[in-house]
Amino acid sequence: MSVRIRSAVVPHDLKAPISGAADGPLAGLSVVIKDMFDITGERAGGGNPDWLKAQPPATRNAVVVQKLLDAGAIITGKTVCDEFFYSLAGVNAHYGTPVNPRAPGRLPGGSSSGSASAAASSACDFAIGSDTGGSVRIPSSFCGLYGIRTTHGRVDIAGAMGMAHSFDAVGWFANAPGIFRKIGPVLLDGPSTAADIGKLMVLDDAFAEADAEVAALMKDALAAMTAELPSPSHQRIAPDGLDTWREAFRVIQSREIWSVYGDFVTRVKPHFGPGVAERFAAAATVTEEMAAQARVMQERARDRIRAIARPGTLLVLPTSPAIAPLADASNAVHESFRIRAMRMTCIAGLSGLPQVSIPIGTIDGCPIGLSFIGWAGGDEALLDLAVRLSRYCGMTA
């Protein structure tokens, strides 16, 4: 196993691959699983060794894991993630930061960093992650992958560690658009809302958050896709500014993650890496009254976004405001990026809508992704769109 692939998996990795059914839609395809999903006989560590020590081995597979095995997939590894999924960087002070094979020396993105790293290293056919505040979307962009955050609630998350239940969603990565599409029918539950794509809305305020060269590449890509997409119109999605929505997301996320892990943090006092300790300390100060006020803002944001993203309408934006920061940049640089990225990722988070990222090109040799937010239950339409647009991927700047 190469160093870059080994960096993607946890020290408590599987002793041997787990084979699924002999036949099925995913038969023979290999998959790695973020270290938050239960696998029978294994412990889910959530990126923190102290949490890992306190957990008994799982007695059954998470729903996602079981569905993949029933469909014929072969689980080949458990992947590194940020501690308690509380970052977008992909850094883990205990297990090391997974390599970004397509932008060496730069962050892989988190919290599903190991899954993205393994997929980008071609160590698996596809990889499973989760996305609360951008944890599939940002690594997809940084590592040049196809990635999706599914409609909130459409993939059963039972048997997985939680973070913030209002926003937690399952997602996955792949290099090949055809394989990327195959995962949808296996994992997606609940009603699908089919609609022909008839409208494309460019989110001007999200584009304004991006570096100039990122925005320019995205606009060039959209211009090249005119045969596949409706003529675009333009909209500022957040009337009072994206920071207002980002703050509402932050407060709710903080309150909910503390409700899940606060007792453990208080009793055990686990060792945290840089940044995570500070975020948990801040989360401890968020009251239910503060969260209730933020939820009012969330409802307003959700109503507005869903009123625009009706069936048949796509919202388009850069997946990330920038290429991956250098891995050895200061914590201040990483935190600054996190704030910028959350202004953009909170749109799908607050609304509960699906978002797909496609690897549209590179800037200074580093991948960058273009995103489409669909309508509730429009996950299949986004997966189909990714396949149709795959011939435009790989453009460079």
Side-chain angles (χ1 to χ4, degrees):
M1 183 184 292
S2 71
V3 172
R4 71 179 187 178
I5 295 171
R6 188 163 54 247
S7 77
V9 297
V10 292
H12 49 284
D13 193 18
L14 301 175
K15 295 179 178 63
I18 303 172
S19 296
D23 56 12
L26 305 181
L29 295 180
S30 59
V31 58
V32 294
I33 307 291
K34 185 176 181 177
D35 188 30
M36 64 178 288
F37 292 89
D38 284 345
I39 298 175
T40 301
E42 305 289 335
R43 293 174 297 155
N48 183 272
D50 292 320
W51 177 266
L52 177 72
K53 291 176 187 176
Q55 305 313 304
T59 58
R60 66 178 62 186
N61 291 324
V63 171
V64 165
V65 170
Q66 191 61 53
K67 284 187 173 185
L68 293 173
L69 291 172
D70 290 346
I74 304 167
I75 300 174
T76 58
K78 290 162 58 74
T79 55
V80 173
C81 57
D82 293 77
E83 293 178 79
F84 297 103
F85 333 115
Y86 217 173
S87 177
L88 289 178
V91 173
N92 190 296
H94 311 288
Y95 304 141
T97 300
V99 170
N100 183 338
R102 293 182 175 152
R106 292 182 179 270
L107 294 176
S111 63
S112 306
S113 52
S115 289
S117 176
S121 297
S122 298
C124 57
D125 292 306
F126 67 100
I128 298 297
S130 69
D131 189 306
T132 301
S135 294
V136 166
R137 290 165 286 168
I138 296 300
S140 296
S141 185
F142 285 3
C143 295
L145 295 164
Y146 293 89
I148 187 169
R149 171 200 165 86
T150 52
T151 299
H152 187 252
R154 277 210 70 192
V155 177
D156 193 333
I157 205 165
M161 292 174 64
M163 184 193 184
H165 63 81
S166 293
F167 310 125
D168 292 344
V170 173
W172 59 88
F173 308 91
N175 283 305
I179 292 176
F180 182 63
R181 179 65 181 86
K182 282 185 176 183
I183 316 306
V186 173
L187 294 185
L188 290 167
D189 287 322
S192 170
T193 303
D196 293 330
I197 296 171
K199 293 183 180 180
L200 180 69
M201 190 73 67
V202 177
L203 301 187
D204 287 339
D205 40 359
F207 270 82
E209 293 292 337
D211 291 347
E213 60 268 29
V214 172
L217 179 59
M218 301 297 109
K219 290 172 183 176
D220 288 346
L222 289 172
M225 296 173 180
T226 53
E228 296 286 351
L229 295 171
S231 297
S233 55
H234 292 258
Q235 176 79 57
R236 293 186 68 84
I237 192 70
D240 298 321
L242 288 168
D243 260 331
T244 302
W245 287 2
R246 180 190 62 79
E247 179 63 8
F249 185 99
R250 184 197 69 80
V251 170
I252 297 168
Q253 180 189 48
S254 297
R255 181 64 178 174
E256 292 184 355
I257 194 172
W258 188 255
S259 73
V260 176
Y261 300 110
D263 179 67
F264 175 81
V265 170
T266 301
R267 286 188 299 102
V268 177
K269 296 179 174 56
H271 177 62
F272 288 129
V276 180
E278 290 81 356
R279 282 189 279 280
F280 264 107
T285 68
V286 176
T287 65
E288 184 55 36
E289 181 181 7
M290 293 165 64
Q293 293 174 352
R295 290 187 186 105
V296 172
M297 178 59 69
Q298 181 197 1
E299 286 300 314
R300 292 174 183 166
R302 178 186 174 96
D303 290 348
R304 174 170 171 78
I305 298 164
R306 291 196 171 208
I308 295 170
R310 294 183 179 277
T313 298
L314 296 177
L315 311 181
V316 62
L317 68 162
T319 307
S320 166
I323 61 173
L326 291 168
D328 61 0
S330 68
N331 290 333
V333 169
H334 292 175
E335 185 63 20
S336 175
F337 169 81
R338 182 175 181 271
I339 291 170
R340 292 180 65 200
M342 292 292 290
R343 292 178 184 134
M344 299 163 70
T345 61
C346 73
I347 299 169
L350 291 169
S351 63
L353 296 180
Q355 181 174 338
V356 69
S357 178
I358 63 174
I360 203 59
T362 62
I363 296 172
D364 295 333
C366 299
I368 195 74
L370 176 66
S371 268
F372 296 89
I373 296 174
W375 55 93
D379 309 69
E380 290 87 350
L382 291 182
L383 293 170
D384 289 339
L385 179 71
V387 174
R388 291 202 308 274
L389 296 180
S390 61
R391 66 191 180 98
Y392 299 99
C393 297
M395 294 183 295
T396 61

